[in-house]
DNA sequence: CAAAAAAGAGAGCACCGCTCTTGCTTTGGA
DNA sequence: TCCAAAGCAAGAGCGGTGCTCTCTTTTTTG
């Protein structure tokens, strides 16, 4: 009688959260490949088969962690945008880029989970897609703001790309010129190229002052999407 | 006494090659996570323990595949460069970028192995590093050629980055101005950001005409390293 | 030709994901 | 209020994995 929603439902939520928490810790320590349902169960003091009441398979657990990671990254980028809300668009762009980088360096295994090799088979559940879009939306918003002001500077378009560019603009941000939509998507992928190379150690013995290097690259990325250097 | 080098040594080479070949096929079909020593041994008609005479662990087998993948990609990019050797540097740059993309799309699991999440622990044997440099060398060569001609166009440098830029230039290509070295490394990472997003499905429902999109992005990347549009 | 080195075969260990059955507890309707 | 239904934990067990150890056979070498 006590709790309205039923004590059992709440217990289920709590246990589900505890499982994800333990799994996330294992993920951070050992990586996705080493994440073991049995080890998670052991850490929680339950038997491994009991865990299947909460997640029907290891891949489902991983999918839950993937969605959480996308949300965490999205939140970090939104926080950076809001913290820089009074700055001009180029500075805001750089702030968000640095937030993405900072999050990735702080959570390398979770970053690998969402932007490295897709580990669970090849499924991309629809829920994942929505969670993945958050960072993109933040970037779109900044570019939109920037283009309201001084306008775009020096964005070109290869001949054959115009129809695709118009389609992309219509899908992504109808109020943006097609050139900007193309440049934005490219910059989006390139941002994660920079971050991924750093997180995955590809800059080893190539870039030393990675902080300064990234700041510079992010600034040039901003120019690339038409945000004229502040 | 027949063969000079010893029949056994040759047999060892052949078996090693056969193991790698079988492993590569499994890798292409199921991905690195599913690659199983036992399955490889089964396919070759030997018992799993015998395989340890050739590779001391599963990770060592994977490392061998990683090196081969780097070599294969490096070779593809060198072929593209040589095939376009008469074209002006910007066109050569684009050709190499497209070769990288083509190789990645043709060998997604091998691409994931080398540019996705680093799967075997966190070790990067020295041999791997040398193999990884090949694509980079091709890109450096093109930019060097380009800068011999008309010179760099509009490359800037953020204030604090100058010392790092000079260090990078000294290491990478002493005959290149520091601005170009920085731009080159950034473009290198960004190229693999574009390719990775496409291979790992991040462009799903975002970019449709990926061929045209990539061509455009590669062209802008060329401009970014100072190769003035042909 | 005999000693030494290399290779294969097999058993076995500890772990894994996952399924199925068996009891116990909570829940919700008659 | 009571009782069937549903939810959940536990245990045993299946087939698979990476890896180690021992034993035997084959090849190379002094």
């Amino acid at each position: 009688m006590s709790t309205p929603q039923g004590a059992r439902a709440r217990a289920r939520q709590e246990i589900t959260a505890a499982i994800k928490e333990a799994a996330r810790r294992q993920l951070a320590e050992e990586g996705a490949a080493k994440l073991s349902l049995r080890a998670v169960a052991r850490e929680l003091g339950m038997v491994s088969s009991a865990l299947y009441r909460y997640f029907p398979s290891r891949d489902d657990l991983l999918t839950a962690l993937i969605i959480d990671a996308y949300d965490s990254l999205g939140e970090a980028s939104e926080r950076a945008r809001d913290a820089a809300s009074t700055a001009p668009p180029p500075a805001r762009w750089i702030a968000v880029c640095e937030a993405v980088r900072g999050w990735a360096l702080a959570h390398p295994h979770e970053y690998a989970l969402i932007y490295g090799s897709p580990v669970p088979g090849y499924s991309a559940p629809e829920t994942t897609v929505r969670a993945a879009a958050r960072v993109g939306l933040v970037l779109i918003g900044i570019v939109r703001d920037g283009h309201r002001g001084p306008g775009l500077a020096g964005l070109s378009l290869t001949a054959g790309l115009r129809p695709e560019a118009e389609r992309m603009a219509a899908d992504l941000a109808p109020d943006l010129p097609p050139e900007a939509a193309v440049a934005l998507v490219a910059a989006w992928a390139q941002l994660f190229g920079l971050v991924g190379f750093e997180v995955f150690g590809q800059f080893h013995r190539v870039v030393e002052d990675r902080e300064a290097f990234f700041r510079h690259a992010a600034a040039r990325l901003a120019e690339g999407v038409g945000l004229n250097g502040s």
Short mmCIF file of all heavy atoms in Angstrom, two decimals, chain D residues 2-23:
data_model
loop_
_atom_site.label_atom_id
_atom_site.label_comp_id
_atom_site.label_asym_id
_atom_site.label_seq_id
_atom_site.Cartn_x
_atom_site.Cartn_y
_atom_site.Cartn_z
P DC D 2 -8.33 -14.88 4.56
OP1 DC D 2 -8.89 -15.86 5.51
OP2 DC D 2 -7.06 -14.18 4.86
"O5'" DC D 2 -8.21 -15.58 3.14
"C5'" DC D 2 -9.41 -16.03 2.49
"C4'" DC D 2 -9.11 -16.31 1.02
"O4'" DC D 2 -8.90 -15.06 0.31
"C3'" DC D 2 -7.84 -17.14 0.77
"O3'" DC D 2 -8.09 -18.03 -0.29
"C2'" DC D 2 -6.82 -16.07 0.37
"C1'" DC D 2 -7.71 -15.13 -0.43
N1 DC D 2 -7.18 -13.74 -0.60
C2 DC D 2 -7.40 -13.06 -1.80
O2 DC D 2 -8.01 -13.62 -2.72
N3 DC D 2 -6.93 -11.79 -1.94
C4 DC D 2 -6.27 -11.21 -0.93
N4 DC D 2 -5.85 -9.96 -1.10
C5 DC D 2 -6.05 -11.89 0.31
C6 DC D 2 -6.51 -13.14 0.42
P DC D 3 -7.27 -19.30 -0.51
OP1 DC D 3 -7.86 -20.40 0.26
OP2 DC D 3 -5.85 -18.96 -0.35
"O5'" DC D 3 -7.55 -19.55 -2.07
"C5'" DC D 3 -8.29 -18.56 -2.80
"C4'" DC D 3 -7.60 -18.31 -4.14
"O4'" DC D 3 -7.06 -16.97 -4.15
"C3'" DC D 3 -6.41 -19.23 -4.44
"O3'" DC D 3 -6.36 -19.44 -5.85
"C2'" DC D 3 -5.22 -18.40 -3.98
"C1'" DC D 3 -5.67 -17.01 -4.42
N1 DC D 3 -5.01 -15.89 -3.69
C2 DC D 3 -4.88 -14.64 -4.33
O2 DC D 3 -5.32 -14.50 -5.48
N3 DC D 3 -4.30 -13.62 -3.65
C4 DC D 3 -3.84 -13.81 -2.41
N4 DC D 3 -3.28 -12.77 -1.79
C5 DC D 3 -3.95 -15.08 -1.75
C6 DC D 3 -4.53 -16.07 -2.44
P DA D 4 -5.76 -20.72 -6.44
OP1 DA D 4 -6.82 -21.76 -6.45
OP2 DA D 4 -4.49 -20.97 -5.74
"O5'" DA D 4 -5.44 -20.31 -7.94
"C5'" DA D 4 -6.45 -19.71 -8.74
"C4'" DA D 4 -5.89 -18.54 -9.54
"O4'" DA D 4 -5.37 -17.55 -8.61
"C3'" DA D 4 -4.74 -18.91 -10.47
"O3'" DA D 4 -4.93 -18.22 -11.70
"C2'" DA D 4 -3.50 -18.41 -9.73
"C1'" DA D 4 -4.05 -17.21 -8.97
N9 DA D 4 -3.32 -16.91 -7.74
C8 DA D 4 -3.02 -17.77 -6.73
N7 DA D 4 -2.37 -17.22 -5.73
C5 DA D 4 -2.23 -15.90 -6.11
C6 DA D 4 -1.62 -14.79 -5.48
N6 DA D 4 -1.04 -14.85 -4.29
N1 DA D 4 -1.67 -13.61 -6.13
C2 DA D 4 -2.25 -13.55 -7.33
N3 DA D 4 -2.86 -14.52 -8.02
C4 DA D 4 -2.81 -15.68 -7.35
P DA D 5 -4.07 -18.60 -12.98
OP1 DA D 5 -5.03 -18.72 -14.12
OP2 DA D 5 -3.20 -19.72 -12.61
"O5'" DA D 5 -3.19 -17.31 -13.21
"C5'" DA D 5 -3.82 -16.03 -13.17
"C4'" DA D 5 -2.78 -14.94 -13.12
"O4'" DA D 5 -2.26 -14.82 -11.76
"C3'" DA D 5 -1.57 -15.18 -14.02
"O3'" DA D 5 -1.28 -13.98 -14.72
"C2'" DA D 5 -0.45 -15.53 -13.05
"C1'" DA D 5 -0.85 -14.74 -11.81
N9 DA D 5 -0.34 -15.30 -10.56
C8 DA D 5 -0.39 -16.61 -10.15
N7 DA D 5 0.13 -16.81 -8.96
C5 DA D 5 0.54 -15.56 -8.56
C6 DA D 5 1.18 -15.10 -7.38
N6 DA D 5 1.50 -15.90 -6.36
N1 DA D 5 1.46 -13.78 -7.29
C2 DA D 5 1.12 -12.98 -8.33
N3 DA D 5 0.53 -13.30 -9.49
C4 DA D 5 0.26 -14.61 -9.53
P DA D 6 -0.35 -13.99 -16.04
OP1 DA D 6 -1.15 -13.38 -17.13
OP2 DA D 6 0.23 -15.34 -16.21
"O5'" DA D 6 0.82 -12.99 -15.64
"C5'" DA D 6 0.49 -11.81 -14.91
"C4'" DA D 6 1.65 -11.41 -14.04
"O4'" DA D 6 1.75 -12.29 -12.90
"C3'" DA D 6 3.02 -11.44 -14.74
"O3'" DA D 6 3.59 -10.15 -14.69
"C2'" DA D 6 3.82 -12.47 -13.93
"C1'" DA D 6 3.12 -12.42 -12.58
N9 DA D 6 3.29 -13.64 -11.78
C8 DA D 6 2.98 -14.92 -12.13
N7 DA D 6 3.23 -15.80 -11.20
C5 DA D 6 3.74 -15.06 -10.15
C6 DA D 6 4.20 -15.41 -8.86
N6 DA D 6 4.21 -16.66 -8.40
N1 DA D 6 4.64 -14.41 -8.07
C2 DA D 6 4.63 -13.15 -8.54
N3 DA D 6 4.22 -12.70 -9.73
C4 DA D 6 3.79 -13.71 -10.49
P DG D 7 5.00 -9.86 -15.35
OP1 DG D 7 4.95 -8.48 -15.90
OP2 DG D 7 5.34 -11.00 -16.22
"O5'" DG D 7 6.00 -9.85 -14.11
"C5'" DG D 7 5.73 -8.96 -13.03
"C4'" DG D 7 6.83 -9.06 -11.98
"O4'" DG D 7 6.68 -10.32 -11.26
"C3'" DG D 7 8.24 -9.06 -12.56
"O3'" DG D 7 9.05 -8.22 -11.73
"C2'" DG D 7 8.68 -10.52 -12.47
"C1'" DG D 7 7.91 -11.01 -11.25
N9 DG D 7 7.59 -12.44 -11.28
C8 DG D 7 7.05 -13.15 -12.33
N7 DG D 7 6.87 -14.41 -12.05
C5 DG D 7 7.32 -14.54 -10.75
C6 DG D 7 7.39 -15.70 -9.91
O6 DG D 7 7.03 -16.85 -10.17
N1 DG D 7 7.92 -15.39 -8.66
C2 DG D 7 8.34 -14.14 -8.27
N2 DG D 7 8.81 -14.05 -7.03
N3 DG D 7 8.28 -13.07 -9.04
C4 DG D 7 7.77 -13.34 -10.26
P DC D 8 10.54 -7.87 -12.14
OP1 DC D 8 10.83 -6.50 -11.66
OP2 DC D 8 10.72 -8.21 -13.56
"O5'" DC D 8 11.39 -8.89 -11.27
"C5'" DC D 8 11.25 -8.85 -9.85
"C4'" DC D 8 11.97 -10.02 -9.22
"O4'" DC D 8 11.25 -11.24 -9.52
"C3'" DC D 8 13.40 -10.24 -9.72
"O3'" DC D 8 14.28 -10.10 -8.62
"C2'" DC D 8 13.40 -11.67 -10.28
"C1'" DC D 8 12.20 -12.28 -9.55
N1 DC D 8 11.59 -13.44 -10.24
C2 DC D 8 11.52 -14.67 -9.58
O2 DC D 8 11.96 -14.78 -8.44
N3 DC D 8 10.95 -15.73 -10.21
C4 DC D 8 10.46 -15.59 -11.44
N4 DC D 8 9.91 -16.64 -12.02
C5 DC D 8 10.52 -14.33 -12.15
C6 DC D 8 11.09 -13.30 -11.51
P DA D 9 15.85 -9.86 -8.90
OP1 DA D 9 16.28 -8.66 -8.16
OP2 DA D 9 16.10 -9.98 -10.34
"O5'" DA D 9 16.47 -11.13 -8.16
"C5'" DA D 9 16.24 -11.30 -6.77
"C4'" DA D 9 16.57 -12.73 -6.37
"O4'" DA D 9 15.69 -13.62 -7.09
"C3'" DA D 9 17.99 -13.16 -6.70
"O3'" DA D 9 18.56 -13.77 -5.55
"C2'" DA D 9 17.82 -14.16 -7.85
"C1'" DA D 9 16.43 -14.71 -7.59
N9 DA D 9 15.75 -15.16 -8.81
C8 DA D 9 15.47 -14.41 -9.92
N7 DA D 9 14.82 -15.07 -10.85
C5 DA D 9 14.65 -16.34 -10.31
C6 DA D 9 14.03 -17.51 -10.80
N6 DA D 9 13.45 -17.57 -12.00
N1 DA D 9 14.04 -18.60 -10.01
C2 DA D 9 14.62 -18.51 -8.81
N3 DA D 9 15.23 -17.47 -8.24
C4 DA D 9 15.22 -16.40 -9.05
P DA D 10 20.13 -14.06 -5.47
OP1 DA D 10 20.56 -13.77 -4.09
OP2 DA D 10 20.77 -13.38 -6.62
"O5'" DA D 10 20.21 -15.64 -5.72
"C5'" DA D 10 19.35 -16.49 -4.98
"C4'" DA D 10 19.34 -17.87 -5.60
"O4'" DA D 10 18.53 -17.85 -6.80
"C3'" DA D 10 20.71 -18.40 -6.02
"O3'" DA D 10 21.02 -19.54 -5.25
"C2'" DA D 10 20.56 -18.74 -7.51
"C1'" DA D 10 19.06 -18.82 -7.68
N9 DA D 10 18.56 -18.49 -9.01
C8 DA D 10 18.71 -17.30 -9.68
N7 DA D 10 18.14 -17.27 -10.86
C5 DA D 10 17.59 -18.54 -10.99
C6 DA D 10 16.85 -19.15 -12.02
N6 DA D 10 16.54 -18.55 -13.17
N1 DA D 10 16.45 -20.43 -11.83
C2 DA D 10 16.75 -21.04 -10.68
N3 DA D 10 17.45 -20.57 -9.64
C4 DA D 10 17.83 -19.30 -9.87
P DG D 11 22.52 -20.07 -5.13
OP1 DG D 11 22.70 -20.52 -3.74
OP2 DG D 11 23.41 -19.06 -5.73
"O5'" DG D 11 22.54 -21.37 -6.08
"C5'" DG D 11 21.52 -22.35 -5.92
"C4'" DG D 11 21.41 -23.18 -7.18
"O4'" DG D 11 20.77 -22.41 -8.21
"C3'" DG D 11 22.76 -23.61 -7.76
"O3'" DG D 11 22.90 -25.01 -7.56
"C2'" DG D 11 22.69 -23.24 -9.26
"C1'" DG D 11 21.24 -22.87 -9.46
N9 DG D 11 21.02 -21.79 -10.43
C8 DG D 11 21.48 -20.50 -10.35
N7 DG D 11 21.11 -19.77 -11.36
C5 DG D 11 20.37 -20.63 -12.16
C6 DG D 11 19.71 -20.39 -13.39
O6 DG D 11 19.67 -19.35 -14.05
N1 DG D 11 19.07 -21.53 -13.85
C2 DG D 11 19.05 -22.75 -13.21
N2 DG D 11 18.38 -23.73 -13.80
N3 DG D 11 19.66 -22.98 -12.05
C4 DG D 11 20.30 -21.88 -11.59
P DA D 12 24.23 -25.80 -7.99
OP1 DA D 12 24.44 -26.86 -6.99
OP2 DA D 12 25.29 -24.80 -8.27
"O5'" DA D 12 23.78 -26.46 -9.37
"C5'" DA D 12 22.47 -27.01 -9.47
"C4'" DA D 12 22.20 -27.42 -10.92
"O4'" DA D 12 21.80 -26.27 -11.69
"C3'" DA D 12 23.43 -28.03 -11.62
"O3'" DA D 12 23.02 -29.16 -12.37
"C2'" DA D 12 23.91 -26.89 -12.52
"C1'" DA D 12 22.60 -26.18 -12.86
N9 DA D 12 22.77 -24.76 -13.19
C8 DA D 12 23.47 -23.82 -12.47
N7 DA D 12 23.43 -22.62 -12.99
C5 DA D 12 22.67 -22.77 -14.13
C6 DA D 12 22.26 -21.87 -15.13
N6 DA D 12 22.59 -20.58 -15.12
N1 DA D 12 21.50 -22.35 -16.14
C2 DA D 12 21.18 -23.64 -16.14
N3 DA D 12 21.50 -24.60 -15.26
C4 DA D 12 22.25 -24.08 -14.27
P DG D 13 24.09 -30.10 -13.12
OP1 DG D 13 23.55 -31.47 -13.10
OP2 DG D 13 25.42 -29.78 -12.56
"O5'" DG D 13 24.05 -29.59 -14.64
"C5'" DG D 13 22.80 -29.36 -15.25
"C4'" DG D 13 22.99 -28.66 -16.58
"O4'" DG D 13 23.10 -27.22 -16.37
"C3'" DG D 13 24.26 -29.08 -17.35
"O3'" DG D 13 23.88 -29.41 -18.67
"C2'" DG D 13 25.13 -27.82 -17.31
"C1'" DG D 13 24.06 -26.74 -17.28
N9 DG D 13 24.55 -25.45 -16.80
C8 DG D 13 25.27 -25.21 -15.65
N7 DG D 13 25.56 -23.95 -15.48
C5 DG D 13 25.03 -23.32 -16.60
C6 DG D 13 25.03 -21.96 -16.98
O6 DG D 13 25.53 -21.00 -16.38
N1 DG D 13 24.36 -21.76 -18.19
C2 DG D 13 23.78 -22.74 -18.93
N2 DG D 13 23.19 -22.36 -20.07
N3 DG D 13 23.75 -24.03 -18.59
C4 DG D 13 24.40 -24.23 -17.42
P DC D 14 24.82 -30.34 -19.57
OP1 DC D 14 24.11 -31.62 -19.70
OP2 DC D 14 26.19 -30.29 -19.00
"O5'" DC D 14 24.84 -29.64 -20.98
"C5'" DC D 14 23.64 -29.08 -21.52
"C4'" DC D 14 24.00 -28.04 -22.57
"O4'" DC D 14 24.22 -26.76 -21.92
"C3'" DC D 14 25.29 -28.36 -23.32
"O3'" DC D 14 25.06 -28.39 -24.72
"C2'" DC D 14 26.27 -27.25 -22.94
"C1'" DC D 14 25.34 -26.14 -22.48
N1 DC D 14 25.99 -25.30 -21.44
C2 DC D 14 26.12 -23.92 -21.64
O2 DC D 14 25.70 -23.41 -22.69
N3 DC D 14 26.72 -23.16 -20.68
C4 DC D 14 27.17 -23.74 -19.56
N4 DC D 14 27.74 -22.96 -18.64
C5 DC D 14 27.04 -25.15 -19.34
C6 DC D 14 26.46 -25.88 -20.30
P DG D 15 26.04 -29.22 -25.65
OP1 DG D 15 25.24 -29.93 -26.66
OP2 DG D 15 27.03 -29.94 -24.81
"O5'" DG D 15 26.81 -28.03 -26.38
"C5'" DG D 15 26.07 -27.01 -27.05
"C4'" DG D 15 26.91 -25.77 -27.18
"O4'" DG D 15 27.20 -25.23 -25.86
"C3'" DG D 15 28.28 -26.00 -27.85
"O3'" DG D 15 28.44 -25.06 -28.89
"C2'" DG D 15 29.28 -25.79 -26.71
"C1'" DG D 15 28.53 -24.80 -25.84
N9 DG D 15 29.00 -24.76 -24.45
C8 DG D 15 29.24 -25.82 -23.60
N7 DG D 15 29.66 -25.44 -22.42
C5 DG D 15 29.70 -24.06 -22.49
C6 DG D 15 30.07 -23.09 -21.53
O6 DG D 15 30.46 -23.27 -20.38
N1 DG D 15 29.97 -21.80 -22.03
C2 DG D 15 29.54 -21.48 -23.30
N2 DG D 15 29.50 -20.18 -23.61
N3 DG D 15 29.19 -22.36 -24.21
C4 DG D 15 29.29 -23.63 -23.75
P DG D 16 29.70 -25.27 -29.90
OP1 DG D 16 29.15 -24.91 -31.22
OP2 DG D 16 30.33 -26.59 -29.68
"O5'" DG D 16 30.76 -24.16 -29.46
"C5'" DG D 16 30.49 -22.81 -29.76
"C4'" DG D 16 31.20 -21.89 -28.79
"O4'" DG D 16 30.95 -22.32 -27.44
"C3'" DG D 16 32.72 -21.88 -28.89
"O3'" DG D 16 33.14 -21.00 -29.93
"C2'" DG D 16 33.11 -21.34 -27.52
"C1'" DG D 16 31.90 -21.64 -26.64
N9 DG D 16 32.24 -22.47 -25.48
C8 DG D 16 32.09 -23.83 -25.33
N7 DG D 16 32.47 -24.28 -24.16
C5 DG D 16 32.89 -23.14 -23.50
C6 DG D 16 33.40 -22.99 -22.19
O6 DG D 16 33.60 -23.87 -21.34
N1 DG D 16 33.70 -21.66 -21.91
C2 DG D 16 33.53 -20.60 -22.78
N2 DG D 16 33.89 -19.39 -22.34
N3 DG D 16 33.05 -20.73 -24.00
C4 DG D 16 32.74 -22.02 -24.29
P DT D 17 34.67 -21.01 -30.34
OP1 DT D 17 34.73 -20.24 -31.60
OP2 DT D 17 35.18 -22.41 -30.26
"O5'" DT D 17 35.41 -20.18 -29.19
"C5'" DT D 17 35.10 -18.78 -29.04
"C4'" DT D 17 35.78 -18.27 -27.80
"O4'" DT D 17 35.32 -19.01 -26.65
"C3'" DT D 17 37.29 -18.47 -27.78
"O3'" DT D 17 37.91 -17.40 -28.47
"C2'" DT D 17 37.60 -18.42 -26.29
"C1'" DT D 17 36.30 -18.93 -25.64
N1 DT D 17 36.43 -20.27 -25.00
C2 DT D 17 37.00 -20.39 -23.76
O2 DT D 17 37.45 -19.44 -23.14
N3 DT D 17 37.06 -21.66 -23.28
C4 DT D 17 36.59 -22.82 -23.90
O4 DT D 17 36.70 -23.92 -23.37
C5 DT D 17 36.01 -22.63 -25.19
C7 DT D 17 35.47 -23.79 -25.96
C6 DT D 17 35.95 -21.38 -25.68
P DG D 18 39.40 -17.55 -28.99
OP1 DG D 18 39.60 -16.48 -29.98
OP2 DG D 18 39.60 -18.97 -29.37
"O5'" DG D 18 40.28 -17.26 -27.70
"C5'" DG D 18 40.18 -16.00 -27.04
"C4'" DG D 18 41.07 -16.01 -25.82
"O4'" DG D 18 40.62 -17.05 -24.91
"C3'" DG D 18 42.53 -16.30 -26.11
"O3'" DG D 18 43.35 -15.46 -25.29
"C2'" DG D 18 42.69 -17.77 -25.75
"C1'" DG D 18 41.69 -17.93 -24.62
N9 DG D 18 41.15 -19.30 -24.54
C8 DG D 18 40.59 -20.02 -25.56
N7 DG D 18 40.21 -21.22 -25.21
C5 DG D 18 40.52 -21.29 -23.87
C6 DG D 18 40.35 -22.35 -22.93
O6 DG D 18 39.86 -23.47 -23.13
N1 DG D 18 40.81 -22.01 -21.66
C2 DG D 18 41.37 -20.79 -21.33
N2 DG D 18 41.76 -20.65 -20.07
N3 DG D 18 41.54 -19.80 -22.19
C4 DG D 18 41.10 -20.11 -23.44
P DC D 19 44.96 -15.44 -25.60
OP1 DC D 19 45.47 -14.15 -25.10
OP2 DC D 19 45.17 -15.83 -26.99
"O5'" DC D 19 45.52 -16.58 -24.65
"C5'" DC D 19 45.16 -16.58 -23.27
"C4'" DC D 19 45.59 -17.88 -22.60
"O4'" DC D 19 44.69 -18.94 -22.97
"C3'" DC D 19 46.97 -18.37 -22.99
"O3'" DC D 19 47.83 -18.23 -21.86
"C2'" DC D 19 46.77 -19.83 -23.37
"C1'" DC D 19 45.39 -20.13 -22.82
N1 DC D 19 44.65 -21.20 -23.55
C2 DC D 19 44.26 -22.36 -22.86
O2 DC D 19 44.53 -22.45 -21.67
N3 DC D 19 43.60 -23.34 -23.52
C4 DC D 19 43.32 -23.20 -24.81
N4 DC D 19 42.67 -24.19 -25.42
C5 DC D 19 43.72 -22.04 -25.54
C6 DC D 19 44.37 -21.07 -24.88
P DT D 20 49.36 -18.69 -21.90
OP1 DT D 20 50.12 -17.76 -21.06
OP2 DT D 20 49.75 -18.93 -23.31
"O5'" DT D 20 49.32 -20.11 -21.15
"C5'" DT D 20 48.63 -20.22 -19.93
"C4'" DT D 20 48.80 -21.62 -19.34
"O4'" DT D 20 47.92 -22.55 -20.02
"C3'" DT D 20 50.22 -22.20 -19.49
"O3'" DT D 20 50.59 -22.81 -18.27
"C2'" DT D 20 50.07 -23.22 -20.61
"C1'" DT D 20 48.64 -23.69 -20.43
N1 DT D 20 47.98 -24.20 -21.67
C2 DT D 20 47.33 -25.42 -21.64
O2 DT D 20 47.25 -26.10 -20.64
N3 DT D 20 46.76 -25.78 -22.82
C4 DT D 20 46.78 -25.08 -24.01
O4 DT D 20 46.23 -25.52 -25.02
C5 DT D 20 47.49 -23.83 -23.98
C7 DT D 20 47.58 -23.00 -25.21
C6 DT D 20 48.05 -23.45 -22.82
P DC D 21 52.16 -23.23 -18.03
OP1 DC D 21 52.52 -22.71 -16.70
OP2 DC D 21 52.95 -22.83 -19.21
"O5'" DC D 21 52.11 -24.82 -17.98
"C5'" DC D 21 51.08 -25.47 -17.25
"C4'" DC D 21 50.94 -26.92 -17.73
"O4'" DC D 21 50.15 -26.92 -18.95
"C3'" DC D 21 52.26 -27.60 -18.07
"O3'" DC D 21 52.53 -28.62 -17.12
"C2'" DC D 21 52.07 -28.19 -19.46
"C1'" DC D 21 50.59 -27.98 -19.76
N1 DC D 21 50.35 -27.59 -21.18
C2 DC D 21 49.55 -28.39 -22.00
O2 DC D 21 49.06 -29.42 -21.53
N3 DC D 21 49.34 -28.01 -23.28
C4 DC D 21 49.90 -26.90 -23.75
N4 DC D 21 49.64 -26.56 -25.02
C5 DC D 21 50.71 -26.06 -22.93
C6 DC D 21 50.92 -26.44 -21.67
P DT D 22 53.97 -29.42 -17.24
OP1 DT D 22 54.30 -29.79 -15.85
OP2 DT D 22 54.93 -28.67 -18.06
"O5'" DT D 22 53.54 -30.72 -18.04
"C5'" DT D 22 52.40 -31.47 -17.62
"C4'" DT D 22 52.07 -32.54 -18.65
"O4'" DT D 22 51.59 -31.92 -19.87
"C3'" DT D 22 53.26 -33.41 -19.05
"O3'" DT D 22 52.90 -34.78 -18.99
"C2'" DT D 22 53.59 -32.97 -20.47
"C1'" DT D 22 52.22 -32.53 -20.98
N1 DT D 22 52.26 -31.54 -22.09
C2 DT D 22 51.56 -31.80 -23.24
O2 DT D 22 50.89 -32.79 -23.40
N3 DT D 22 51.67 -30.82 -24.20
C4 DT D 22 52.40 -29.65 -24.12
O4 DT D 22 52.43 -28.85 -25.05
C5 DT D 22 53.13 -29.44 -22.89
C7 DT D 22 53.96 -28.21 -22.69
C6 DT D 22 53.03 -30.39 -21.94
P DC D 23 54.05 -35.92 -19.05
OP1 DC D 23 53.70 -36.92 -18.03
OP2 DC D 23 55.37 -35.26 -19.04
"O5'" DC D 23 53.83 -36.56 -20.50
"C5'" DC D 23 52.51 -36.96 -20.89
"C4'" DC D 23 52.47 -37.18 -22.39
"O4'" DC D 23 52.46 -35.90 -23.06
"C3'" DC D 23 53.68 -37.96 -22.96
"O3'" DC D 23 53.22 -39.06 -23.72
"C2'" DC D 23 54.41 -36.94 -23.83
"C1'" DC D 23 53.28 -35.99 -24.21
N1 DC D 23 53.73 -34.63 -24.57
C2 DC D 23 53.35 -34.06 -25.78
O2 DC D 23 52.62 -34.70 -26.55
N3 DC D 23 53.78 -32.82 -26.10
C4 DC D 23 54.56 -32.15 -25.25
N4 DC D 23 54.95 -30.92 -25.60
C5 DC D 23 54.96 -32.70 -24.00
C6 DC D 23 54.53 -33.92 -23.70
#
